[in-house]
Structures are given as structure tokens and as C-alpha cells.
Amino acid sequence: MSGYTSYKSTYEQSISDPERFWGQAAETVSWVKRWDKVLDDTDKPFYRWFTGGELNTCYNAVDLHLENGRGEQTAIIYDSPVTNTVKKITYKEFYEKVSRFAGVLKSRGVEKGDRVLIYMPMIPEAVTAMLACARIGAIHSVVFGGFAPNELAKRINDAKPKVIVSASCGIEGAKVIPYKPLLDKAIEMAEQKPEKCIIYQRPQSKPELLPGRDFDWETLMEDASPAPWVPVSATDPLYILYTSGTTGMPKGVVRDNGGHAVALKWSMQNIYGIKPGEVYWAVSDVGWVVGHSYIVYAPLLMGCTTVLYEGKPIGTPDPGAFWRVISEHGVSVLFTAPTAFRAIKKEDPKGEFLKKYDIKSLRHLFLAGERLDPDTYTWAKNLLNIPIIDHWWQTETGWAIAGNCVGIEQLPVKPGSPTKPVPGYNVQIVDDEGKEIPNGTDGTVAIKLPLPPGCLPTLWQNAQRFLDYVTPIPGFYVTGDGGHFDEDGYLFIMGRIDEVINVAGHRLSTGAMEEVVAKHPDVAECAVLGVDDQLKGQLPFGFVVLKADSAREHGEVVQELVNMVRAEVGAVACFSKCVVVDTLPKTRSGKILRGTMSKIVDGKDYPIPSTIDDPGVLVKIEEAVKKIGFPKIG
Ligand code: COA
Ligand code: AMP
């Protein structure tokens, strides 16, 4: 179907002649002006794709489909069990909404290159706002609704949006979460105030709007005139998406227009094996990269129908929710995080709910966001009896680095492995000097530069921090993950080798949580690290040392710390476990032994590091975690 003959030859072509490979892929995108150079390497390590080219991403994702006779096809199925709504929006209707909202943004003074911050739940208006920005060349920055005002304020300060688009509330299961007070607080905290806010008032909550600053979405839409799309450079930013790094300050991953459109369209056909007109469902949130790439841009660029699901895998109303959506809408490909399947498995281990639905439309299940553990793989495989495809990627790349490209050639699956590098990614396992490590041995997973199109060209107004990815091992992008290749060239990703953790498929920084914990007046020192969790993959776990003069009751301090992290990072951090200890285990040079502490909480064997300052501290750590019921047995 893709025109490629085999995975091996396709991969080799992509690595030996990337310009030819991606130049051909770019023919599937509609350009206003053809590129001068496919790969511009004049400013290494800042590689650029399709320099000189001009296009518009919104045109490619919306208008083009009207010209190609897809106007009456459904573009978006909004399926919201939490509001009892199923709404289908055709490409024509979506075109009208997007061009009108683009007009709204223009009427509020938004110009090409201005930033628009979007803080919205999973409603069609979030997708409309994203595409409207793309239409007029504005740069959107979507912030996940589960982040607290403090995190939102950091992103406002960095992106400096002219306008913020938000909604009155989100709905999490049975809970209505008012967004407006969170937004107001974030703006109050931010040094860079937006000029205007546009608020979509949902029936579940209708807060007062601040005269002069806040505007009602519906009222503005009634009065707006549609705005046409404008050509932008292939290298102009389409969006900024903040992601967790090792410090409390998130990193603003920049995505350009040209490389992004080319890579995502290529991925739909070649990784996911999906055709225009088919129904594609990525269960994530528009605030995460999976949401950006595979709820919004890739399916729309491909002319598919995308499902926007405002619900959970369980509890909305039951563990049959996924099967209901697949059967009701004829979903061909489902993409979600392993944690969602673990949640379904926990509530319905025998898959009884599946018996109520006919899901024969489903060809493939793709999983990503965290390691796919072999138990979850086997359970899903036995239940669904279709290929279960693990694929590995990150916010920075925007699309899969390794996976089983079912549109090219479906390779045999090895549980625990996301298969092999995707064409375009020259993945190598290296040591600290960049020397390749033999198959079978764990090392740093790095990608030889250049990264393929669609990956981050830089960080927003922080080229210096971008260099942290590419300078530790010259000539490589360091992914932050550790792993190995096996003897058949299958890649195994074993986990992060930095302070980033993955909680229910959500990427979080333990550094950000430490910053909050360290602010408590009784805390002298602290460490937050990731520990295993059967449902969510990982959970944060805190160790704190109190100041010598603190007379506070330990349980009270811990509860205050839990509340502080919830208030300042967000509920999504799931920070609820923390112990007070006398001292933290450190090396003689003062480095906290985080890995050793994680192993203690997980009940794993750990070698006593030869560099440890005082081995007796580890015994005390073991005693402290035992007191709060760790390691968990079973
Ligand atoms: N807005 C506001 N709050 C949010 C939120 C949002 N968009 N998303 C999550 N939260 C809150 C939740 O309400 C919860 O709050 P609580 O502590 O008051 O109950 C907290 O953040 C933790 O949320 P979550 O990790 O989602 O836990 P959960 O127990 O509600 O659900 C799962 C567990 C496994 C069902 C759920 O995490 C899930 O569906 N995961 C799928 C993963 C996924 O889509 N990942 C995206 C990357 S591919
Ligand atoms: P995010 O930027 O939120 O997409 O998170 C990226 C990180 O999630 C990666 O660096 C990995 O640590 C982890 N991850 C994502 N997908 C996988 C996968 N399929 N297998 C193992 N880890 C994964």
C-alpha cells in the first residue's frame, strides 16, 4: 500500500539518502512554494527541513479535503460520555468553525507569529482553536488541563501569549473542574499578562467574565468574519508544547510547519497503515503530544475521521467504554497508553464487557507513552486477537522513533520491545563517549543527527537548553532513555536515565515536585523519585529530611507536602507517598543515590554503591519505607 517493498530496504534508504527519502514523502503535502533545500545543515546542530518552502498546515488539514470532495465526511467525532454527547462534525462544518475562529483571533489582534495559549478540556473547540492559529500563522501552546495555576503561569511567562483561549470547566469522570478560577490565578501569578482571554462557556459552569479582558467564545463567533489561511515558511513554528525536563522549568518544544506535516502524513500511512476516510482514535488529551499529533494533526492531514473522547477507560460508565466507542464509530486503529489497558484489565480481567460489542472494524492497537509490560501485552493480545503494536516516542520527536511499521511491512512482535527504529531515525546504543555498545548490553539510547522531519528544531527562545540534548555526545541527540538492541536488532527501552518520570502515561518532572517540597518551612532537604506502580506504571515518592529545630509531627508535614504538590503542580502529579528520614543516602561527592532509593521502595535487590558515604543510611531508609507499607507485596 505504501509503495515501499520491505522495512529493511525502506529503513536503509531513509538513512543513506534522507534528502531523497523525505523529498519524496513531501510530495504528498500541498505546498504554496516548493522548498529550496530538503535538509539544510548549514547551522549544525540546528538542522532545518524544507527551507525556502511555504505552506499552510490548516489548509492541508481542512480546506484541501473540501477541494478533494471530503466536505461531507466526518472530520471529528466528539464522544463525551461525561456529558452524554456524541456529535459529528463534517470537514465542511469544521472548515466554517475554524475559519470563523481564525477571524475571531484576528479581531482580537492576533497576527502571524503571535502566541496563543490554549487551556481547554477535550472539546471540539480546543481543536478548532489549534487549527485557527495554524490558519493565520499564530503559534499555539496548549497546556494540559490537569496542571495547577503555578505550572500554567510558568508557561504563560515563557510563551508570552497575546491571547489565552480557555473553557469554563473540564469534566473528569463525575467531577466538574472549574477552569476559570485556575486561569485567573495563573494570570495573577504570571509576570506576562495576556491582553485578552476568550472563554468557551460550557453549560456545567458559567463563571463571570472579567470586562475588558475576557470575551465569550459564542458571542465573538456570531460576529466574526471568516479569515483566510496565510502561507507560512516551512520552518516557521506551528506550536510550542511544554514538556517536563529535569528541572522545575518545563521545556518549550518547538514544532515547525513543513517537516511536521510531511512526517505526520507519512506516519499515518506507513506506521499506522491507515487510509483517508478511515476512523482513527487516539485516546489521550490535546494537552499532550499524542493529542497534538494523533488526535488533531495527523488524522486531519490524512483526511481521516478522528475521535475526540472526553472520558476515561473505566468509570465512564464502565470498562466497556473503549469497546463501545470502537463499535459505535467503526474505529480502524486505536492508540492509547498501556495504563489504560491495565485499568480495564483490573476492573474486567476476563473481558466480559467486550462480549457486548462488535469491534471487528479494529485492525491494530498501538500503545505508547510508557513501557508496554509483557503482562499487559499478553492480556490485550488474548482479548482482542489483533496485532498489538508497542511504539516508542517522546514529545520532542512528535512521532514514533521505534515501532512496527504495519503500513510498510509488519514484523513479528517481541513482547517488551517497540520493534525496530522507524525509517528516518538512526538509533544507536552508546556509552558516554558515543561509542556503540554491543547488542544485548544496556546503554544510552541516542539518535544520530540529523533527526528526521517533524522533530524539534530547537526549544522556544532557548537554543542553549536545546544544546543539552546534542552536546553530551557530539553528533547525537540523547533521548534520556536507556535500553539495548537484541541480537535481531529489536530495540528494548528500559526507562528514563534522568529525573523524568511517567505516571499513567503522563510525563512529569520529579525536579518540579522537589522544588515545591523544598519550599516547606520545615524541610531541610528532599528527593522525589519514581517508583513502580501496578496501575500507573510509575508514581512519585518523596523522601524528606526535616530541619534540626523542627518539632512538627511527621504525618502532618507529609500531608502538607502532598497538598502543596497538588496545589502547585496539579492533581495529575499523583504525589501521595512521602516519608521523613534522618538523612538522605549520598555519594562522597554529595550526589543523592536516587536509583538506590527507588530500588528499596520497589523491593528490588540493589548493590551497595562503592561511592556511598555511609552505607548505614540505607538500612534506615529501608526501615522508614517499611513503616508506610513499602515495598508493596503482590
Ligand atoms: N483536568 C483536570 N484534572 C485532571 C485532568 C484534567 N485534564 N486529568 C487528570 N486529572 C486529575 C484527575 O481527576 C485525578 O484527580 P484526583 O486525584 O482528584 O482523583 C488526578 O488528576 C490523576 O489523574 P489520572 O492519573 O488520570 O488518574 P485517574 O485515577 O483519574 O485515572 C487512568 C487512571 C489509568 C484511568 C487514567 O490515568 C487514564 O485513562 N490514563 C490513560 C493515559 C493517557 O491517556 N495518557 C496520555 C498519554 S498517551
Ligand atoms: P512524552 O514526552 O510524554 O511522550 O514521554 C516520553 C517518554 O515516555 C520517553 O522518553 C520514554 O521514557 C517513555 N515512553 C514513551 N513511549 C514508550 C514506549 N513505547 N516504551 C517505553 N517507554 C516509552
Side-chain angles (χ1 to χ4, degrees):
M1 134 194 200
S2 62
Y4 298 119
T5 49
S6 72
Y7 161 75
K8 190 168 179 292
S9 65
T10 310
Y11 181 74
E12 283 167 3
Q13 282 167 38
S14 75
I15 301 302
S16 63
D17 194 352
E19 290 214 52
R20 183 152 180 265
F21 189 87
W22 292 112
Q24 277 171 359
E27 300 293 351
T28 62
V29 167
S30 177
W31 298 83
V32 177
K33 178 176 171 285
R34 225 176 139 77
W35 54 90
D36 299 326
K37 191 115 187 57
V38 175
L39 174 63
D40 181 351
D41 60 1
T42 48
D43 185 24
K44 288 179 191 167
F46 298 93
Y47 294 86
R48 303 309 314 250
W49 289 93
F50 307 107
T51 41
E54 285 178 12
L55 76 166
N56 182 281
T57 299
C58 177
Y59 169 79
N60 272 278
V62 185
D63 305 46
L64 183 63
H65 303 310
L66 266 57
E67 292 169 21
N68 290 341
R70 293 192 180 277
E72 299 310 318
Q73 182 196 310
T74 302
I76 299 172
I77 300 173
Y78 169 53
D79 187 307
S80 167
V82 295
T83 58
N84 258 323
T85 313
V86 173
K87 195 165 134 195
K88 296 187 178 177
I89 303 167
T90 64
Y91 269 102
K92 186 160 180 290
E93 288 163 343
F94 188 50
Y95 158 81
E96 278 154 14
K97 280 179 197 295
V98 168
S99 19
R100 200 168 268 273
F101 194 67
V104 167
L105 290 175
K106 286 205 79 100
S107 75
R108 301 301 100 179
V110 177
E111 299 291 340
K112 192 169 171 176
D114 285 339
R115 272 81 55 216
V116 173
L117 190 140
I118 301 172
Y119 184 62
M120 292 185 107
M122 288 285 286
I123 54 176
E125 288 69 22
V127 188
T128 304
M130 290 165 82
L131 268 298
C133 289
R135 191 167 190 83
I136 58 170
I139 304 165
H140 62 68
S141 185
V142 184
V143 178
F144 176 61
F147 280 125
N150 177 48
E151 288 294 317
L152 180 55
K154 286 183 193 171
R155 288 153 174 83
I156 295 174
N157 280 338
D158 198 64
K160 303 182 183 51
K162 197 172 228 179
V163 166
I164 295 186
V165 185
S166 189
S168 55
C169 64
I171 303 168
E172 274 286 300
K175 283 180 295 188
V176 173
I177 302 191
Y179 274 27
K180 185 66 172 35
L182 305 176
L183 176 66
D184 288 344
K185 185 147 182 232
I187 295 175
E188 192 188 307
M189 293 168 102
E191 284 145 29
Q192 292 287 330
K193 316 275 183 209
E195 287 170 21
K196 300 185 171 76
C197 297
I198 302 171
I199 311 291
Y200 182 77
Q201 297 274 28
R202 303 186 76 181
Q204 295 78 5
S205 157
K206 292 207 168 167
E208 296 251 319
L209 301 184
L210 192 70
R213 187 198 75 182
D214 297 344
F215 297 85
D216 173 55
W217 171 295
E218 293 286 13
T219 313
L220 293 182
M221 282 291 260
E222 276 163 25
D223 300 340
S225 20
W229 59 269
V230 299
V232 300
S233 294
T235 51
D236 278 345
L238 169 68
Y239 70 75
I240 307 164
L241 176 58
Y242 288 90
T243 190
S244 301
T246 50
T247 69
M249 188 56 213
K251 306 196 254 196
V253 166
V254 173
R255 196 83 59 211
D256 65 12
N257 276 274
H260 175 254
V262 172
L264 288 194
K265 216 166 166 182
W266 185 92
S267 75
M268 286 300 272
Q269 185 176 4
N270 295 291
I271 299 180
Y272 301 98
I274 194 131
K275 292 191 286 291
E278 292 189 310
V279 183
Y280 183 93
W281 180 24
V283 193
S284 179
D285 187 286
V286 286
W288 302 111
V289 69
V290 174
H292 278 63
S293 294
Y294 292 104
I295 295 175
V296 181
Y297 284 108
L300 296 177
L301 285 163
M302 194 66 185
C304 292
T305 297
T306 185
V307 181
L308 185 74
Y309 176 67
E310 190 181 29
K312 299 250 173 186
I314 52 171
T316 57
D318 56 41
F322 277 18
W323 324 135
R324 192 236 348 128
V325 174
I326 295 166
S327 72
E328 209 170 305
H329 306 308
V331 172
S332 297
V333 169
L334 171 66
F335 175 175
T336 188
T339 190
F341 266 74
R342 287 197 295 270
I344 298 171
K345 178 178 158 208
K346 194 168 166 213
E347 292 223 340
D348 181 22
K350 294 206 176 93
E352 296 293 339
F353 280 83
L354 181 58
K355 292 183 187 148
K356 298 194 210 165
Y357 302 98
D358 173 359
I359 62 158
K360 65 173 175 308
S361 63
L362 191 68
R363 283 198 303 269
H364 291 106
L365 166 64
F366 282 81
L367 295 163
E370 53 174 328
R371 183 164 178 266
L372 173 58
D373 53 287
D375 275 1
T376 306
Y377 168 80
T378 309
W379 186 78
K381 175 83 197 136
N382 291 340
L383 184 73
L384 302 177
N385 202 20
I386 55 168
I388 311 294
I389 312 285
D390 180 13
H391 60 331
W392 165 63
W393 52 298
Q394 337 184 284
T395 305
E396 287 85 345
T397 62
W399 61 290
I401 310 167
N404 202 336
C405 297
V406 304
I408 301 175
E409 177 194 0
Q410 199 168 304
L411 300 175
V413 168
K414 288 198 189 192
S417 165
T419 319
K420 297 194 178 189
V422 166
Y425 291 97
N426 188 349
V427 179
Q428 298 188 12
I429 308 295
V430 295
D431 65 15
D432 291 345
E433 267 89 54
K435 266 208 252 106
E436 243 182 294
I437 290 182
N439 288 351
T441 310
D442 278 333
T444 295
V445 187
I447 306 167
K448 201 160 192 313
L449 294 173
L451 294 171
C455 298
L456 80 170
T458 189
L459 292 177
W460 179 249
Q461 291 185 342
N462 203 341
Q464 196 52 39
R465 200 172 178 196
F466 171 80
L467 292 176
D468 293 347
Y469 290 107
V470 291
T471 40
I473 308 180
F476 286 89
Y477 164 86
V478 177
T479 63
D481 281 301
H484 63 265
F485 279 115
D486 74 0
E487 66 286 359
D488 300 321
Y490 277 62
L491 184 63
F492 287 77
I493 298 296
M494 304 314 289
R496 298 287 304 195
I497 47 179
D498 56 15
E499 272 85 62
V500 167
I501 59 170
N502 245 288
V503 178
H506 304 145
R507 175 164 158 182
L508 298 163
S509 161
T510 53
M513 293 183 225
E514 280 177 11
E515 276 181 18
V516 175
V517 171
K519 280 199 278 192
H520 190 287
D522 287 273
V523 169
E525 212 183 357
C526 68
V528 176
L529 33 100
V531 300
D532 292 346
D533 181 72
Q534 276 203 336
L535 174 65
K536 298 194 176 180
Q538 277 189 303
L539 280 178
F541 194 106
F543 287 89
V544 292
V545 177
L546 299 188
K547 288 181 181 157
D549 59 357
S550 167
R552 300 283 312 280
E553 208 266 309
H554 291 181
E556 261 178 38
V557 175
V558 165
Q559 191 51 53
E560 285 166 11
L561 295 173
V562 167
N563 296 345
M564 280 169 72
V565 174
R566 193 178 170 90
E568 295 196 32
V569 179
V572 74
C574 298
F575 180 81
S576 67
K577 293 286 174 259
C578 182
V579 281
V580 176
V581 292
D582 292 339
T583 168
L584 297 176
K586 290 185 187 161
T587 62
R588 279 186 281 278
S589 61
K591 197 165 179 281
I592 298 173
L593 291 163
R594 292 161 188 283
T596 310
M597 287 197 284
S598 293
K599 286 202 171 89
I600 291 175
V601 181
D602 293 339
K604 291 181 183 150
D605 290 340
Y606 61 91
I608 309 267
S610 57
T611 51
I612 192 165
D613 186 31
D614 173 8
V617 174
L618 295 177
V619 178
K620 290 195 177 156
I621 294 278
E622 281 192 33
E623 284 166 6
V625 299
K626 248 187 217 148
K627 272 196 198 148
I628 63 161
F630 284 83
K632 283 200 171 139
I633 313 295

